[in-house]
Amino acid sequence: MKIRLIDPAYEHPYISHSQKVIKNIWFARLTLTTLAGLTPPDIEVKITDENVEPIDFEEDVDLVGVTGMIMHAPRAYEIAQRFRQRGIPVVMGGPHASSLPLEAKEHVDAVVIGEAENVWEGLIEDYKNGCLKPFYKAEAFCSMEGLPFPRLDLLRKDAYMTINCAQTTRGCPHQCDFCHVTHFFGKTYRCRPVDEVIEEVKRLEGNFLVFIDDNIAGNRRYAKELFLRLKPLKKQWASQASMTLTRDPELLRLAAESGCVSLFIGVESLSSENLKDVNKSFNQVHQLEEAMKAVHDHDIMILAGFIFGLDHDDEGVFERTLRFCERNRIELPSFFLLTPLPGTALFQRMESDGRLLHKDWAEYNGATVVFKPRLMTEETLQRGFNWACKEGYSWGSIFKRVFHPQQRFFTRVLSNIAYRSIAQKTPEGYLPSLSRILQKMNDTIPLQNTRNLIQRVGEKIAEKKLLIGQKAADTLKLYSVYNERLKTLFVRLEGSMDREGAKELVKRLKGVLNVEIQKVILDFKDVGAFSSEAIALLSRKGLLQSEEGKLWKAVNAPAITD
Ligand code: B12
Ligand code: SF4
């Protein structure tokens, strides 16, 4: 019996990679090599990764297996159709088929939902007996003990940066709303026996490998043991981890000592409201810069993932995020557009709110807007994203991010050049016109004179006083969000306000008036103390008026009688 396993290509004018780029930056996924490893030895099994070689549709095979993420679905269905026209049965599995098995079944003979480990051999038996079932779903997640090693020998070694890939864990202890991993693996986080991982790593040629785990440090005890055991092998490795890794200095040190040279870290957003919305509050915004520094101090290169289009993102998000990457010398920023993947909590929410623009899965590629953003139009989000991709890999930005005295300088430059070649294919974008203004409206204004400040609502209950006291710092902070759909700028003020602070606020707001903003809502709730001159100035300028219909609307304006 002959089986052909196929990884469909993704054809797209600027997202698909050329053979050269694949050779420079891609590693092979473990999907089909794992499946081949699970195939009984008496069966001839071969792999085609259509990204690096064409499919032979005339091949003499008995059964075809196709995989695919969501964006690959249309191509996977085309491939299935071509083989089925010849009477060759096709089985589909992977993230897309597992999320939408009924849809997939319309295009193939059998669908494997979830992991293949516990069902693949049975499926082959059913095929041999002529009784292939429409769906296969294992009753439980597979054991991580004794998994066969992936058949890396079936890949075209010369086509990728490396084929040295291994997996140590499956799943993730977290449940971010946009991520497919927890949907696929449930709330499980399963670790392979360290001995088996070490044995597999020892067999890999060369000194570099990629652990394709979603979160290699999800279980600290396990990760520490793994890193300790990896150290003597003197290999270098790359992987993905959540920010929580950076909070355990010992874990980070062990990772570095065991050969970790680069980590993909999902930072996602610089807004704590956004992170809260998508159930990722464990990424603490105020600790981000420190976390990036800790990783760099161990000479580990950072590939930081950022998502644009979350509900609290306004037109300022693109520039703010890029400047963050430059300031923190993030070697390889990876920008994605929020993409509701079927099966995720995000998808359910967007679908029930009527926010999905369509279900053309090929467009669900992380670089195309497929939903209605809350604070921007679709066009602004798309163009801003394009701008960030291009600008992020401009020479100026590369210079700011990699030109610093650290080891592996050339690796950093070379990988940026490779990413630059991808970024340059992105269509023209533009920085939204309000971006600069929004940077100024999200700022901290230092106080000149703190002596004359009058505590607000000083007579209220003691706890409140304490809270207000804490907020009445020596600065005035501006948190501004622009809603392009309502043409309204919301400005939340926090801290204390003296005359100079009020003057500076008025000056900045005057700049805002020159652009398309139609209304400004100023929220004074978190201003703990004012000087009487500040109040007088704000009143003169009309900023404390709260009547509707005016350009300004004040919320929680001070009512101080001194
Ligand atoms: C490595 C990886 C990548 C690499 C891929 C490199 C390459 N050469 O393709 C990189 C970093 C480039 C990448 C990019 C992207 N990725 Co990716 N990636 C992964 C990751 C971490 C591991 C894949 C892997 O090897 N898994 C190990 C194997 C053993 O597991 P598996 O693939 O699930 O296969 C098992 C079963 O699904 C089943 N199965 C799978 N296929 C088939 C087929 C048949 C016939 C059968 C019977 C069974 C079967 O059997 C296997 C054994 O149990 C997964 C997460 C994950 N844990 O899988 C995300 C993941 C697959 N990626 C994902 C996404 C979204 C992307 C991007 C679209 C991100 C973006 N927005 O740009 C891009 C697309 C890139 C592209 N053009 O293809 C999502 C997919 C979600 C979805 N529903 O589509 C995942 C699940 C991550 C996530 N957080 O949600 N990715
Ligand atoms: S931490 Fe990463 S892998 Fe884990 S659920 Fe969140 S996005 Fe997914």
Side-chain angles (χ1 to χ4, degrees):
M1 180 182 172
K2 291 179 191 163
I3 299 181
R4 170 67 63 177
L5 300 174
I6 300 175
D7 206 339
Y10 182 65
E11 289 299 331
H12 190 280
Y14 63 93
I15 298 171
S16 326
H17 300 322
S18 65
Q19 300 295 307
K20 197 172 152 211
V21 168
I22 291 180
K23 172 78 193 141
N24 279 336
I25 64 166
W26 252 33
F27 49 91
R29 252 183 303 152
L30 278 183
T31 309
L32 299 184
T33 44
T34 298
L35 212 50
L38 295 169
T39 308
D42 59 317
I43 289 170
E44 186 183 319
V45 58
K46 288 186 181 160
I47 289 177
T48 303
D49 177 354
E50 203 193 1
N51 294 289
V52 300
E53 61 190 318
I55 299 169
D56 176 4
F57 286 104
E58 299 310 316
E59 188 188 4
D60 170 28
V61 281
D62 301 300
L63 182 67
V64 168
V66 192
T67 186
M69 303 182 202
I70 183 167
M71 62 200 244
H72 303 111
R75 178 62 185 158
Y77 297 156
E78 269 170 33
I79 295 169
Q81 192 192 9
R82 294 279 296 272
F83 282 105
R84 291 176 88 203
Q85 274 166 359
R86 287 179 51 214
I88 299 167
V90 177
V91 183
M92 185 167 170
H96 185 75
S98 300
S99 295
L100 297 171
L102 294 176
E103 177 198 287
K105 179 65 190 70
E106 285 174 26
H107 303 270
V108 299
D109 299 277
V111 178
V112 171
I113 304 166
E115 291 179 333
E117 277 74 2
N118 292 344
V119 296
W120 183 233
E121 260 194 86
L123 183 150
I124 293 173
E125 276 310 305
D126 285 352
Y127 165 80
K128 284 183 179 163
N129 298 327
C131 58
L132 210 51
K133 296 189 196 72
F135 299 102
Y136 290 83
K137 184 168 189 254
E139 277 166 18
F141 292 111
C142 70
S143 158
M144 297 297 276
E145 276 176 41
L147 290 174
F149 293 159
R151 293 279 312 271
L152 301 180
D153 58 298
L154 296 178
L155 293 172
R156 266 191 52 199
K157 194 176 162 187
D158 55 333
Y160 308 89
M161 171 193 62
T162 184
I163 58 162
N164 280 356
C165 295
Q167 186 172 33
T168 73
T169 62
R170 282 193 185 172
C172 176
H174 305 296
Q175 281 180 279
C176 308
D177 280 2
F178 53 83
C179 179
H180 190 263
V181 168
T182 323
H183 164 70
F184 193 87
F185 294 111
K187 288 181 189 165
T188 64
Y189 185 68
R190 289 165 296 149
C191 307
R192 287 177 65 199
V194 175
D195 283 342
E196 293 183 23
V197 176
I198 296 294
E199 187 49 38
E200 190 175 327
V201 173
K202 274 186 186 162
R203 292 187 188 198
L204 299 175
E205 288 170 20
N207 73 341
F208 177 73
L209 77 145
V210 180
F211 288 115
I212 57 94
D213 299 48
D214 293 295
N215 185 357
I216 194 157
N219 176 330
R220 289 190 209 182
R221 235 184 45 209
Y222 174 83
K224 284 181 187 175
E225 190 193 338
L226 176 73
F227 298 160
L228 278 169
R229 296 280 306 280
L230 277 172
K231 194 176 163 183
L233 304 188
K234 297 198 184 319
K235 302 256 184 189
Q236 294 192 329
W237 58 270
S239 192
Q240 305 193 83
S242 64
M243 289 262 308
T244 48
L245 165 73
T246 62
R247 289 182 211 144
D248 182 335
E250 189 195 3
L251 185 60
L252 192 54
R253 178 178 56 79
L254 290 174
E257 286 174 5
S258 72
C260 177
V261 289
S262 121
L263 281 178
F264 181 96
I265 301 179
V267 177
E268 326 301 6
S269 177
L270 303 177
S271 141
S272 37
E273 285 105 328
N274 273 338
L275 292 166
K276 194 166 162 230
D277 273 4
V278 294
N279 201 24
K280 199 156 188 168
S281 295
F282 59 86
N283 273 11
Q284 308 256 303
V285 174
H286 64 278
Q287 290 177 346
L288 278 177
E289 307 221 348
E290 209 180 299
M292 299 294 126
K293 184 170 177 312
V295 179
H296 279 149
D297 285 347
H298 289 84
D299 201 26
I300 296 173
M301 175 159 105
I302 304 175
L303 284 84
F306 292 93
I307 299 176
F308 292 136
L310 291 160
D311 278 357
H312 293 272
D313 282 347
D314 66 5
E315 299 178 32
V317 69
F318 312 105
E319 196 176 10
R320 197 159 52 242
T321 309
L322 182 55
R323 299 302 164 232
F324 172 89
C325 294
E326 291 171 352
R327 218 171 39 249
N328 291 286
R329 293 166 172 173
I330 305 288
E331 289 83 348
L332 295 170
S334 301
F335 301 128
F336 301 105
L337 280 168
L338 182 66
T339 304
L341 298 168
T344 60
L346 176 74
F347 184 88
Q348 278 166 17
R349 218 162 46 223
M350 291 263 179
E351 189 171 46
S352 60
D353 293 350
R355 290 176 67 186
L356 296 178
L357 297 177
H358 56 73
K359 289 186 182 172
D360 176 357
W361 304 132
E363 299 273 290
Y364 279 57
N365 51 28
T368 311
V369 179
V370 295
F371 70 100
K372 287 188 202 139
R374 196 167 75 96
L375 297 181
M376 286 179 255
T377 62
E378 290 82 304
E379 199 195 348
T380 303
L381 177 58
Q382 185 68 60
R383 299 266 183 114
F385 166 79
N386 294 352
W387 175 86
C389 292
K390 269 190 135 74
E391 185 63 21
Y393 286 92
S394 63
W395 291 120
S397 186
I398 293 178
F399 185 83
K400 285 184 197 144
R401 291 184 292 96
V402 303
F403 201 70
H404 55 117
Q406 276 189 330
Q407 290 171 39
R408 287 194 286 278
F409 172 71
F410 288 107
T411 318
R412 287 169 155 88
V413 173
L414 289 178
S415 37
N416 265 277
I417 292 173
Y419 274 63
R420 181 181 150 85
S421 72
I422 303 170
Q424 280 194 314
K425 291 201 293 176
T426 314
E428 273 318 310
Y430 62 70
L431 187 61
S433 55
L434 289 184
S435 181
R436 292 276 138 77
I437 287 164
L438 287 168
Q439 307 314 315
K440 280 197 182 156
M441 292 306 298
N442 265 297
D443 202 359
T444 301
I445 304 173
L447 257 61
Q448 312 278 325
N449 181 1
T450 49
R451 275 200 310 271
N452 301 328
L453 294 177
I454 307 157
Q455 291 285 312
R456 262 180 102 183
V457 285
E459 71 280 9
K460 290 259 171 81
I461 48 171
E463 295 97 303
K464 181 121 188 179
K465 260 194 197 166
L466 183 70
L467 192 75
I468 289 167
Q470 280 162 355
K471 285 189 176 168
D474 287 352
T475 52
L476 174 66
K477 288 192 175 132
L478 275 53
Y479 298 99
S480 308
V481 174
Y482 177 62
N483 186 323
E484 191 187 11
R485 296 184 189 278
L486 302 177
K487 303 256 180 264
T488 300
L489 180 73
F490 296 85
V491 186
R492 186 169 70 78
L493 302 160
E494 188 186 291
S496 306
M497 197 186 285
D498 64 358
R499 186 168 185 278
E500 292 309 308
K503 251 170 94 178
E504 184 58 36
L505 176 69
V506 171
K507 194 173 121 203
R508 292 188 190 200
L509 287 169
K510 271 191 184 153
V512 159
L513 275 181
N514 298 331
V515 285
E516 64 257 38
I517 296 173
Q518 288 175 2
K519 192 170 183 100
V520 179
I521 296 186
L522 286 167
D523 188 347
F524 292 91
K525 183 169 124 264
D526 294 324
V527 182
F530 291 88
S531 71
S532 45
E533 293 119 307
I535 296 185
L537 189 118
L538 293 179
S539 309
R540 255 201 329 276
K541 298 287 174 189
L543 296 189
L544 298 183
Q545 290 169 353
S546 56
E547 303 98 88
E548 284 286 1
K550 298 228 161 99
L551 175 72
W552 313 110
K553 183 170 187 234
V555 185
N556 302 306
I560 295 183
T561 47
D562 61 328

